[in-house]
Amino acid sequence: MQFTHQTLTSTSKRFSDSLKEMGLELPFSSTQNTWAQIVVGKNFSAAVACANGQGHICAVPITEESIQAKLGARSREVDSQAAADLFAKAIREDLPKLSISMAKLVTFIGGREQTCLISACSDQTGLGIMDAKNAGYLPVSNMRFIGAEENEVAWLRSSADLVATTVNTLAGVNTHQSLEIFAANSRAGNEKEDEVFAQHFGARIEPCSQAIVEQILKSFDPLSAKEWAVDFDDVRDIVFDVFERERGDDGHNWLKPECALGEAMIDHLAARLRETLKWLRDQANDGAESDSPLESLMQTAKLSMRKILSVQVN
């Protein structure tokens, strides 16, 4: 974001009008200096001189908190929502001149239902586009039409929270709507995680069961079956560790043992395997002939995985 003499003047005027509407009016020069301090970190006259000399002056990082602090220094207290509203109203008319990236984002968000801009620290711009139907978000840096220069990208990232709120406001998406979109997106994300988990491990029932049983038999020596202390948490930890390892390291962000289906799978497997271990222990203590621990546990693991995954598929 960058300002010229003209846009410093026009945005300062709208900032003044908004303060007046809120009953927070300041004297003319104080308003100009406060606004200039908020957006470029200088008093108005110094900012104008810099803008005239260089053609423009770049914005400093701006947050709701920094706006509140500058106004607080003038004994004008506002909450974070009011701070964001003041900023949005001040820049609305001049946005294409101030930040073409933000202007394009406003057009993009405003033209799509159930879509909003969010702060996303993993993207170089610090921003992402989220909708209610598709899990996850689209990094703004992936959108070629933005085409922001390096200094603009740095400013967007430094001011990402305020940028997201401002773009949503100017695109007609209020805070309540943004929260609804986020909630719907989270639900879609949960469904996506379950789907990916089912696909990945549904194709790996045999090797995954084998790995689980091998790990269990390292902790529960068949030669000392009579003395087994079979604790659910111990078995669950073994099962979880195997799922964590068996998912591989392919960078698949959606494949998580902690997803709802993964938790159900791990709990069910641990409970059934614990029962099988207890049965094997009881058989050993009764002196009865029992099946091979490996075969019994393998059968339990495979049947348990198939049962949970069949529910997901159906």
Side-chain angles (χ1 to χ4, degrees):
M1 176 172 280
Q2 57 188 34
F3 291 81
T4 63
H5 186 167
Q6 178 186 3
T7 55
L8 277 170
T9 302
S10 57
T11 53
S12 176
K13 173 64 168 61
R14 285 189 291 274
F15 177 66
S16 176
D17 292 342
S18 295
L19 284 175
K20 187 173 182 180
E21 289 175 6
M22 296 173 64
L24 300 174
E25 186 176 8
L26 285 167
F28 179 73
S29 62
S30 295
T31 302
Q32 285 192 321
N33 286 334
T34 300
W35 175 247
Q37 282 286 342
I38 287 172
V39 294
V40 296
K42 299 177 182 290
N43 282 335
F44 191 80
S45 59
V48 167
C50 185
N52 287 337
Q54 301 177 2
H56 67 266
I57 181 172
C58 291
V60 297
I62 310 171
T63 65
E64 293 165 359
E65 292 75 17
S66 68
I67 295 172
Q68 290 175 283
K70 297 299 183 184
L71 285 169
R74 300 282 184 175
S75 300
R76 301 295 188 270
E77 304 296 329
V78 297
D79 60 23
S80 59
Q81 183 62 59
D85 289 343
L86 282 166
F87 182 76
K89 289 177 181 178
I91 69 169
R92 179 191 296 270
E93 300 302 324
D94 288 316
L95 189 57
K97 301 175 184 177
L98 300 172
S99 173
I100 190 62
S101 299
M102 286 182 67
K104 288 178 178 178
L105 285 168
V106 169
T107 300
F108 184 88
I109 298 295
R112 287 159 179 77
E113 293 184 0
Q114 294 292 291
T115 302
C116 68
L117 191 66
I118 62 167
S119 59
C121 61
S122 61
D123 186 60
Q124 65 183 46
T125 65
L127 299 165
I129 295 171
M130 175 180 286
D131 67 48
K133 295 181 180 179
N134 300 297
Y137 65 86
L138 174 66
V140 166
S141 61
N142 287 3
M143 305 184 70
R144 295 182 180 179
F145 73 82
I146 296 299
E149 296 180 358
E150 187 175 342
N151 62 339
E152 175 73 353
V153 168
W155 180 81
L156 290 171
R157 185 174 185 83
S158 72
S159 310
D161 287 338
L162 182 63
V163 169
T165 300
T166 301
V167 167
N168 289 333
T169 298
L170 298 182
V173 181
N174 60 37
T175 301
H176 178 69
Q177 291 169 321
S178 295
L179 291 174
E180 287 186 329
I181 293 168
F182 185 85
N185 185 274
S186 295
R187 291 191 293 272
N190 292 337
E191 292 173 1
K192 179 73 172 180
E193 289 174 356
D194 286 352
E195 177 186 344
V196 171
F197 185 92
Q199 291 174 348
H200 182 83
F201 287 105
R204 294 167 174 80
I205 290 177
E206 185 78 25
C208 191
S209 296
Q210 181 75 36
I212 290 170
V213 172
E214 287 176 357
Q215 289 302 310
I216 286 176
L217 292 178
K218 287 181 180 179
S219 298
F220 296 89
D221 184 356
L223 297 178
S224 58
K226 293 180 180 181
E227 303 169 2
W228 284 348
V230 186
D231 181 77
F232 173 80
D233 289 336
D234 291 340
V235 178
R236 191 187 189 283
D237 287 343
I238 292 170
V239 175
F240 178 87
D241 289 344
V242 172
F243 273 97
E244 178 70 22
R245 186 177 70 246
E246 290 294 316
R247 72 170 174 166
D249 187 24
D250 60 0
H252 202 317
N253 294 328
W254 295 110
L255 184 55
K256 301 176 181 178
E258 302 90 346
C259 70
L261 182 63
E263 292 283 354
M265 172 77 79
I266 291 166
D267 286 345
H268 181 69
L269 264 172
R272 299 287 73 79
L273 289 167
R274 176 173 178 263
E275 291 303 313
T276 299
L277 286 167
K278 289 170 65 178
W279 177 79
L280 290 167
R281 181 191 62 191
D282 293 343
Q283 290 289 93
N285 282 314
D286 291 342
E289 234 181 79
S290 63
D291 295 334
S292 159
L294 175 62
E295 292 176 358
S296 296
L297 291 167
M298 273 293 291
Q299 183 180 24
T300 298
K302 288 190 290 186
L303 288 174
S304 297
M305 286 189 70
R306 287 175 183 144
K307 180 178 181 179
I308 296 296
L309 291 176
S310 68
V311 172
Q312 174 68 13
V313 172
N314 293 333

